[in-house]
Amino acid sequence: MTRTYLDQTIKKLKDDVVMIEKMVSHATTKSVAALIQRDYERSKEVYLNDQEINAKRFTVESECLIAIATQQPLATDLRVLASILEIVTELERMGDYAKGIAKINLITKEIEETLPIIHRLEEMADITVKMLGQSVKAFIEMDVETARTLPAQDDAVDEIFNEIYTGLVENMMENRSLVSLANQMQWAAHNIERMSDRVVNICERTIFVVTGVMNELEESDDEWAIEI
Amino acid sequence: MDSITNNQSSTDQFALRIRNLNVYYGTFRAVKNIDLDIIRNKITAIIGSSGCGKSTMLRSINRMNELIPSTRMEGEIIYKGKNILDTNIDPVVIRSQIGMVFQKPNPFPKSIYDNVAWGARANGFRGDLDLLVENSLRQAALWEEVKDQLDESGLSLSGGQQQRLCIARTIAVKPDIILMDEPASALDPIATLKIEDLMRQLAQNYTIIIVTHNMQQAARASHYTAFFNMDDDQAGYLVEYGQSDQVFTNPREEMTEAYITGRFG
């Protein structure tokens, strides 16, 4: 016995997850490139296109809820649909981070100074976008091994983030007129760093679908966590 | 004839312990090698495809099966420290403590009052019969609907009300365990949900075992679920047993996964 309709619905929803991931990855790469190149037209495009990501997320969410209500999925089917609901929320937030970077470029338009260290944002974004693609692929293919190992790459993103952060603090200390711009750039770096954390959340969902166990991966811990 | 007494510890975690149960109809083995511990004051659902021995096992628990000629049961069903399959245990006593609600509501062609009072009268009940009837109907969530028509025939009620009347009739003899064989399969969705709500309330005082084909019902209403399947020799056996939350979201066995997700067979 098969459940053709439910199987087709899940396949379509997985395809939609991949589509949103591509939209988010594109927005991220484009927003960082535009920020570094001070390309305001492209930033504007990213800023406005975020609406499409949001709309697609709501469509997927709605279709998931309809599938749950009408198909009454259980076990793996249910875990997949519940995870898709979670993952599209993560992706939508990542889209917001890209939009945020676009916004930073637009609101710092009048500032003439430049900060060379922000070129490193490109490297940071490249790793994050690559991780994002791999995490969604692992989800689609139910590749639990990749989902378990991928979060370790988050360390490289954190390392670059710390370097950028420290570099920007130094810039601010050396030249007070750079404070405003450097502060905005710290936010841009922070956005990418948060994206890589959300990639770890996607990996957690893959592990949940395959094993049924819902656990936070250690790598997703806040690197600035303090002992209380 | 040995008797089942109430002085066995009722604080035991298990209301019933089934050990290596095999049930035969003539030479045909309908269920085999069942080991199952039924948790006290919880609802246990038994699910599985047609012919996998769910109802056979349920009927073994209060020895209804032996009303079918050539039935033979092996193994143990331990209830209050006694194996109720022992021939020296009186099945009538067992059935007074392990009641049963059937698929089709089957009220007696008597008044609502007499339906509920019937078992208590037969057992020589000497207390306040009116109070017993009212309490039983209240517990079955039927009192408010029938309190002004207790003299009317039980058959005049709707299907859902008739099933709750049968539950009231079962409760009135103060059972310990209530067996339910597809109790809502003949009812509409509203009446079904009422029965499920009622089961949840009853589970505070009774142990309930329900056989159901409706997986959503098992998922909604039960605390524990046992999945039965038919083996190559056509005998039913227990595939998986666990908390319903676990069985329906993350079953241990591939066969359970296939069955509950509708990819079975």
Side-chain angles (χ1 to χ4, degrees), chain B residues 24-63:
Chain B
Y24 297 84
Y25 297 121
T27 56
F28 171 65
R29 183 158 67 161
V31 296
K32 65 179 184 184
N33 311 330
I34 306 293
D35 284 318
L36 189 60
D37 289 330
I38 302 294
I39 315 288
R40 182 177 300 285
N41 287 7
K42 298 289 177 193
I43 302 167
T44 298
I46 300 174
I47 61 168
S49 50
S50 297
C52 71
K54 305 183 297 289
S55 295
T56 294
M57 201 210 69
L58 195 74
R59 287 196 302 265
S60 303
I61 295 172
N62 70 348
R63 284 177 51 180

Side-chain angles (χ1 to χ4, degrees), chain B residues 121-263:
Chain B
R121 280 185 184 134
N123 289 342
F125 180 76
R126 295 190 178 279
D128 183 339
L129 202 55
D130 288 354
L131 190 62
L132 177 74
V133 169
E134 180 177 337
N135 281 342
S136 302
L137 286 166
R138 279 189 188 281
Q139 282 191 73
L142 189 60
W143 173 253
E144 291 301 326
E145 293 167 54
V146 302
K147 63 185 178 186
D148 299 324
Q149 57 187 86
L150 295 175
D151 292 335
E152 288 179 23
S153 170
L155 298 172
S156 67
L157 299 173
S158 70
Q161 288 174 323
Q162 285 187 21
Q163 195 62 304
R164 280 181 281 144
L165 179 62
C166 293
I167 291 170
R169 185 177 69 190
T170 305
I171 292 167
V173 294
K174 309 275 185 203
D176 192 30
I177 297 172
I178 303 173
L179 309 176
M180 296 184 167
D181 194 352
E182 297 260 14
S185 63
L187 306 181
D188 67 37
I190 303 293
T192 297
L193 290 175
K194 274 190 183 171
I195 296 286
E196 290 173 11
D197 275 351
L198 175 57
M199 283 165 57
R200 282 279 183 177
Q201 286 169 34
L202 292 174
Q204 292 170 19
N205 300 310
Y206 306 94
T207 302
I208 296 173
I209 308 172
I210 175 176
V211 161
T212 178
H213 270 118
N214 182 334
M215 276 178 296
Q216 272 66 37
Q217 180 171 65
R220 278 194 304 264
S222 72
H223 301 100
Y224 292 86
T225 294
F227 168 54
F228 279 54
N229 190 29
M230 195 194 295
D231 212 347
D232 294 339
D233 61 1
Q234 309 281 298
Y237 69 104
L238 177 65
V239 176
E240 180 165 351
Y241 176 47
Q243 291 196 13
S244 300
D245 293 353
Q246 172 258 312
V247 171
F248 288 106
T249 58
N250 190 21
R252 287 188 297 272
E253 302 296 328
E254 277 183 28
M255 195 177 287
T256 315
E257 167 97 21
Y259 181 74
I260 66 172
T261 60
R263 296 178 177 85

Side-chain angles (χ1 to χ4, degrees), chain A residues 38-104:
Chain A
R38 299 214 146 181
D39 183 337
Y40 306 112
E41 270 313 303
R42 292 179 79 196
S43 291
K44 204 171 164 186
E45 284 168 20
V46 171
Y47 190 86
L48 294 173
N49 284 348
D50 185 56
Q51 284 179 7
E52 288 178 24
I53 295 172
N54 295 348
K56 190 69 190 164
R57 172 261 178 122
F58 284 129
T59 304
V60 171
E61 190 172 336
S62 169
E63 286 174 7
C64 274
L65 292 176
I66 289 169
I68 289 169
T70 60
Q71 301 299 308
Q72 286 144 15
L74 291 168
T76 303
D77 295 333
L78 181 60
R79 297 203 299 277
V80 168
L81 289 170
S83 295
I84 288 175
L85 282 173
E86 193 72 25
I87 288 170
V88 293
T89 305
E90 299 288 354
L91 291 170
E92 189 269 332
R93 291 288 160 82
M94 291 188 213
D96 288 345
Y97 290 136
K99 179 187 177 186
I101 293 169
K103 185 179 170 186
I104 287 168

Side-chain angles (χ1 to χ4, degrees), chain A residues 88 119 131 169:
Chain A
V88 293
H119 283 82
M131 281 177 71
V169 169

